[in-house]
Amino acid sequence: ARAVVLGSALGEQCVFALAAGWSTCTGYDVLCDSMVARAEAAVREHGLTDFIEFRCADASGANLSDASLVWANDQAWSEDVRDAVFGRAAQQLP
């Protein structure tokens, strides 16, 4: 089962998803240097690259089609972005 975290920051929700039983996790964040790069470094340091990946990308383009968990850290998103992401989730999720 794959988890997807939208607005993944430093990746802690992906680690929590693995601890809770998901087999893989993909995190999306637009803060490439301050968040994604550091999250990728932590995953490498702890040997989790087979289970967790991060993408420097907008959540509205995330592939959710095979996700069994979608976690959206959406508090800071504009209403337009939130609507676009939730609309995409409604179309892609089973």
Side-chain angles (χ1 to χ4, degrees), residues 21-88:
W22 275 265
S23 56
T24 61
C25 184
T26 304
Y28 290 82
D29 206 292
V30 295
L31 300 175
C32 304
D33 295 330
S34 61
M35 296 294 169
V36 175
R38 291 178 182 185
E40 289 173 333
V43 165
R44 279 192 305 276
E45 181 180 339
H46 295 284
L48 297 172
T49 56
D50 289 343
F51 310 103
I52 299 174
E53 68 174 323
F54 296 101
R55 297 189 181 157
C56 179
D58 189 302
S60 64
N63 176 11
L64 307 175
S65 61
D66 65 341
S68 59
L69 168 71
V70 176
W71 181 278
N73 292 308
D74 65 333
Q75 185 174 6
W77 298 355
S78 70
E79 187 174 338
D80 291 344
V81 170
R82 186 178 294 113
D83 289 347
V85 170
F86 292 167
R88 186 175 180 88

